[in-house]
Amino acid sequence: ICACLVGSEMCIRDRFGNSCLMGQFCQNISADRRLSKSLEFLVAADNQFNDQMWPFFNCLTNLKVLNLSYNNFQDISNLKLENLSGLYFSGNKLATVSGDVVLKWKNLRTLMLNGNYLLSLPAELSQLTDLRVFDVWSNQLKYNISNYHYDWNWRENKQLKYLNFSGNRRFEIKSSVNHDIKTDFSDLTV
């Protein structure tokens, strides 16, 4: 089952592609409702959702893919879903992503954070061993990739296939060799 929220209308599609449009969608789904246990894909992009909506989204415990792009979220730390394989969070108002939050996303394969206000990326992103697609286009990134204890460096994300840093006008990648472990942290090979 997959659902798509557009304004106050909700379109639900089953595995066979059949859809139905529901009027006023209840924003107060409890965790014991059938939909909260069966829904795997939710697209709720381009609405006016903000951080007050986290209790609703957190009830959808079976979600694999969540698209909350182009809303008004400022803080992702209240997202409690741990089974996500895809998180689309483009065009919101995020300034930070904490390492504690990232550690909950062990199954994440796609992470889209483009079009936010991120200044840095937490080192804990390196622990997402299945991460394949990572997009941080058009943020405010400027950080030291050699400071791998505190800032993310891509060297440990061995499955990464797509990485987009475009549009971060202050972003720099400087070659920096750590002589203790004989590693150039700007090296893009894994």
Side-chain angles (χ1 to χ4, degrees):
I1 293 178
C2 115
C4 178
L5 289 175
V6 181
S8 64
E9 297 293 317
M10 182 169 190
C11 175
I12 297 182
R13 251 181 233 288
D14 64 17
R15 291 185 179 163
F16 305 106
N18 302 320
S19 66
C20 65
L21 206 56
M22 299 171 61
Q24 190 84 23
F25 183 69
C26 175
Q27 293 184 6
N28 224 358
I29 291 181
S30 63
D32 60 341
R33 296 280 172 97
R34 185 170 179 257
L35 182 63
S36 67
K37 293 178 180 175
S38 64
L39 195 66
E40 293 181 0
F41 304 90
L42 176 62
V43 178
D46 203 14
N47 288 287
Q48 297 296 314
F49 295 140
N50 59 30
D51 296 326
Q52 295 176 352
M53 292 296 295
W54 287 125
F56 164 72
F57 293 114
N58 287 330
C59 284
L60 304 171
T61 56
N62 202 40
L63 278 182
K64 303 290 183 236
V65 176
L66 178 61
N67 186 337
L68 294 176
S69 296
Y70 305 104
N71 280 291
N72 294 314
F73 291 98
Q74 295 180 2
D75 183 6
I76 201 168
S77 65
N78 290 317
L79 176 61
K80 306 295 183 207
L81 302 175
E82 298 183 9
N83 295 319
L84 294 174
S85 62
L87 178 58
Y88 298 81
F89 216 75
S90 306
N92 279 283
K93 298 176 180 175
L94 285 183
T96 61
V97 176
S98 81
D100 293 336
V101 172
V102 169
L103 291 175
K104 294 177 186 175
W105 301 336
K106 292 290 184 194
N107 300 319
L108 211 57
R109 297 174 66 149
T110 301
L111 180 56
M112 306 295 275
L113 296 174
N114 51 301
N116 282 285
Y117 303 107
L118 296 173
L119 300 172
S120 65
L121 300 168
E124 288 80 0
L125 284 165
S126 296
Q127 296 180 38
L128 300 181
T129 56
D130 288 332
L131 189 64
R132 287 171 170 71
V133 175
F134 186 42
D135 193 333
V136 286
W137 166 78
S138 191
N139 276 282
Q140 308 292 324
L141 294 176
K142 181 178 182 177
Y143 68 100
N144 182 354
I145 61 170
S146 301
N147 193 12
Y148 63 93
H149 293 295
Y150 302 103
D151 293 328
W152 176 67
N153 185 291
W154 50 78
R155 293 189 53 81
E156 298 303 317
N157 299 97
K158 308 266 187 224
Q159 300 297 318
L160 200 58
K161 305 292 183 213
Y162 177 86
L163 175 60
N164 187 357
F165 282 123
S166 302
N168 289 284
R169 295 192 172 130
R170 301 172 5 162
F171 187 73
E172 296 178 30
I173 298 177
K174 295 181 181 177
S175 183
S176 175
V177 176
N178 182 320
H179 297 289
D180 295 335
I181 58 174
K182 297 181 171 105
T183 300
D184 180 353
F185 289 109
S186 65
D187 185 0
L188 290 173
T189 60
V190 290

